[in-house]
Amino acid sequence: MSRSPMIRRVLTAHIAGLLALSSTSSVLADGPVGGSHTYRPAPRVVRPQPVAVTPIAPPAAEQVLSIDLTAGAGARVLDLPLGKSAIIELPVDVRDMLVTNPLVADAVLRSPRRIYVLGMTSGATDAVFFDAAGRKILQLNIRVAQDISLLSSTLRTVLPMGSVQVVPLKDSVILTGVVMNAADSEKASRIAAQFVSSPEKVLNMLSIAGKDQVMLEVRIVEVQRNVIKQLGVDLNAVLGQLGETQYSFGLSPTFGVNGSLLGGITGGYKLDTTKQPIMQQPCVGPGWAAGALCPVVVRDGGNSDAATISNTAGAPGLNSAKGMIQAFERVGLIRTLAEPNLTVLSGESGKFLAGGEFPVPTGQDATGKITIEFKPYGVGLGYTPVVLSGGRISLKLSTEVSELSSLGAYSVSSGSGSSVLTVPGLTVRRAETTVELPSGGSLMIAGLLQQTTKQTIDAIPGMTNMPVLGALFRSRDYLNGETELVIIITPYIVDPTRPQNLQTPADGLRFAGDMSTTLLGRLNKVVKAPAGANAGRAYQGPVGYVIE
């Protein structure tokens, strides 16, 4: 059947336009191919007729896929990058062609034996080609994914010592292969994140050829120094007899900083005339119980069989008086020391805690039962080392020293009113940082210094300015606290060793027998041949453990 010249010119222009859009090609089943694409909205069956056009040779031989039908009639797989095309050459003429989903991939006939396949959107489809007799010539399983050629070449350039493969998966990428260390794995993830819409669409499944192990030697030292000084005067006097007009005077220190007098010495004078010894004798007769004592007025130096201290009306003048001087001074020094040594793989996290846990209420039901959760306190350490090139170590470190305190404590009732749960507060010294240093190098984190000074003076207005005597009418309470936290970090890149080279605190320890314990008061023996790592070494004198 012949075609008019107008139809021939239209078909020639359409095919020439498709050739202009196709810039590169792909490979079949072996890897992605390049080029532009066209779009067709619906599946269709095409029955091409010979057209009188001038054949156009492909730009390069490697961009053309020659199908060998003698290899079998099975389906072939075509991995096609998104927005690229492939050129397929068949040894026989194609009469009919079916594309299942042209929204994913489209196929265009250049000639009866040359087909252009265009990647439209991410997904999968298939294409079937038939000859003039209706027999199936070829079936293509087409998979369209994003182009990873630029990402693959970038990773090969940046990480020449590694072997990284990129697998596209819809709008995400999967990184597989082997790299030298954890730093190279992190670099590969950061590079791949630039080729996708978000970093979450990069799945890093890279293996590290030789994972380094890092041992962290940390010294945590905290020193606390407290100074407390208290000096006060306690005065109290009552003038006048009981039952009559009385005059009182009082001055008592509050010690507002520390709450009360913590100890020390109290000295002075105290007088109380309201308690006097009264002589008494047994009362016998009607109306008196057996053994009852009767008050007896002692006259002319007389005596009686009994005397007891009883409350009386007091003297007409000074009824009671007290004058005391209270003094206290304390200097305290506390040292907290922890030296944890932990080993962890490069890129992994490690934790250390030397302390305890205390309960914290988290809820209460209708019956009054309280749910608690335990919180840690003490000397804590958390770190994440990453071995970099050249033996350097990037270290993320967080450490803290905490202790229980009554400041900030919280009390809660159990519901019945009979018991009260008090949750203590915490005083915390915390530091968190990220550093980079060589294996065996040390770094100190210092300057975590805190100083607290409190002072109160209680006095009678107008009396404190009196020379000499003014000190009798005022009291002083003074508190000074200083705390400093120092952290020394030394990381090492380590390798496992033989168990014979390791020693424990129990090596060489021998308990004493009954005779040594009873007669000499020893708890252990002093040995001369330690076991473990020190076995076979030459020592002079007794060696081992001495426990007192």
Side-chain angles (χ1 to χ4, degrees):
M1 182 174 64
S2 62
R3 299 279 186 173
S4 65
M6 180 61 70
I7 295 176
R8 185 179 298 110
R9 286 196 297 271
V10 171
L11 290 176
T12 304
H14 179 64
I15 295 175
L18 292 175
L19 289 177
L21 291 175
S22 178
S23 58
T24 55
S25 300
S26 62
V27 292
L28 179 63
D30 293 333
V33 293
S36 304
H37 66 276
T38 186
Y39 174 82
R40 297 204 177 182
R44 69 198 187 286
V45 177
V46 180
R47 296 180 176 83
Q49 297 293 334
V51 291
V53 296
T54 304
I56 300 178
E62 63 271 15
Q63 296 175 338
V64 179
L65 303 177
S66 298
I67 302 300
D68 184 10
L69 297 181
T70 61
R76 310 294 176 89
V77 178
L78 174 63
D79 291 326
L80 192 62
L82 179 64
K84 301 299 179 66
S85 64
I87 300 176
I88 301 175
E89 287 190 349
L90 295 174
V92 296
D93 293 343
V94 175
R95 180 64 180 269
D96 294 334
M97 178 181 65
L98 173 64
V99 179
T100 304
N101 188 0
L103 297 178
V104 176
D106 197 6
V108 178
L109 292 177
R110 172 65 179 85
S111 68
R113 297 191 178 187
R114 178 173 294 170
I115 304 104
Y116 295 91
V117 182
L118 312 173
M120 307 297 294
T121 58
S122 298
T125 185
D126 61 349
V128 184
F129 304 93
F130 304 91
D131 60 7
R135 295 186 298 268
K136 181 175 68 174
I137 302 175
L138 175 66
Q139 179 178 353
L140 285 179
N141 291 332
I142 305 173
R143 297 180 302 191
V144 180
Q146 57 181 330
D147 189 9
I148 59 172
S149 58
L150 181 58
L151 175 57
S152 300
S153 61
T154 303
L155 291 176
R156 286 193 298 268
T157 303
V158 177
L159 304 175
M161 301 299 295
S163 176
V164 182
Q165 290 81 36
V166 183
V167 179
L169 179 63
K170 294 185 178 180
D171 57 346
S172 304
V173 292
I174 303 175
L175 303 181
T176 60
V178 180
V179 292
M180 301 304 297
N181 48 53
D184 290 348
S185 177
E186 179 66 19
K187 290 179 182 178
S189 296
R190 295 176 61 181
I191 293 173
Q194 306 302 317
F195 290 82
V196 293
S197 58
S198 62
E200 291 77 13
K201 295 185 178 180
V202 177
L203 181 58
N204 190 342
M205 301 184 65
L206 294 172
S207 301
I208 299 177
K211 287 191 175 182
D212 296 314
Q213 297 185 103
V214 178
M215 185 188 74
L216 197 65
E217 181 180 297
V218 180
R219 296 186 64 196
I220 304 174
V221 181
E222 185 187 31
V223 178
Q224 299 180 8
R225 180 176 181 268
N226 296 320
V227 177
I228 300 176
K229 295 180 181 180
Q230 293 179 327
L231 179 62
V233 177
D234 188 358
L235 300 177
N236 191 5
V238 178
L239 301 177
Q241 194 172 8
L242 292 177
E244 299 180 2
T245 302
Q246 289 184 320
Y247 303 93
S248 62
F249 169 80
L251 172 64
S252 180
T254 62
F255 300 112
V257 172
N258 295 286
S260 63
L261 182 67
L262 300 179
I265 186 174
T266 301
Y269 171 80
K270 185 177 182 181
L271 175 65
D272 189 356
T273 62
T274 62
K275 295 183 180 296
Q276 299 292 335
I278 302 299
M279 302 301 296
Q280 295 180 342
Q281 67 180 9
C283 297
V284 180
W288 295 97
L293 297 179
C294 297
V296 176
V297 179
V298 180
R299 298 184 179 92
D300 302 329
N303 249 330
S304 181
D305 296 335
T308 182
I309 300 297
S310 301
N311 293 331
T312 64
L318 182 62
N319 201 347
S320 64
K322 181 177 67 173
M324 298 293 179
I325 296 179
Q326 302 172 343
F328 172 74
E329 183 173 352
R330 173 189 293 171
V331 177
L333 184 64
I334 301 176
R335 179 192 181 195
T336 303
L337 176 64
E339 295 188 14
N341 292 336
L342 298 178
T343 303
V344 70
L345 286 175
S346 174
E348 301 295 333
S349 300
K351 292 183 178 181
F352 167 81
L353 175 65
E357 295 183 344
F358 66 98
V360 176
T362 58
Q364 185 175 9
D365 57 13
T367 61
K369 295 182 180 180
I370 298 177
T371 304
I372 62 174
E373 180 180 350
F374 287 88
K375 299 293 185 179
Y377 72 94
V379 180
L381 172 68
Y383 66 98
T384 304
V386 176
V387 178
L388 306 177
S389 58
R392 298 188 65 83
I393 301 173
S394 175
L395 180 64
K396 182 179 181 181
L397 178 73
S398 61
T399 181
E400 71 175 34
V401 178
S402 59
E403 60 181 349
L404 300 179
S405 173
S406 59
L407 298 176
Y410 176 74
S411 298
V412 59
S413 175
S414 62
S416 60
S418 59
S419 61
V420 176
L421 176 64
T422 301
V423 181
L426 284 179
T427 57
V428 182
R429 308 285 293 163
R430 181 182 293 117
E432 184 173 352
T433 184
T434 301
V435 295
E436 181 178 333
L437 62 167
S439 176
S442 296
L443 181 68
M444 175 181 288
I445 302 175
L448 301 175
L449 179 64
Q450 180 181 3
Q451 182 177 7
T452 303
T453 302
K454 300 179 181 179
Q455 184 174 204
T456 61
I457 294 180
D458 296 341
I460 299 178
M463 302 292 289
T464 59
N465 297 327
M466 296 176 57
V468 183
L469 295 179
L472 300 177
F473 299 96
R474 64 173 175 260
S475 301
R476 178 179 180 235
D477 192 12
Y478 174 79
L479 173 64
N480 182 27
E482 297 177 353
T483 303
E484 184 172 6
L485 179 64
V486 176
I487 305 168
I488 302 176
I489 312 154
T490 306
Y492 298 92
I493 300 178
V494 296
D495 294 322
T497 185
R498 297 183 302 170
Q500 294 80 3
N501 297 332
L502 303 177
Q503 185 180 13
T504 67
D507 296 341
L509 176 62
R510 300 293 184 271
F511 290 98
D514 293 340
M515 296 296 295
S516 298
T517 303
T518 304
L519 300 179
L520 302 179
R522 292 180 178 176
L523 297 178
N524 67 293
K525 295 180 180 179
V526 178
V527 297
K528 294 185 178 182
N534 291 329
R537 298 182 182 180
Y539 292 93
Q540 296 181 358
V543 296
Y545 289 83
V546 177
I547 302 178
E548 296 181 356

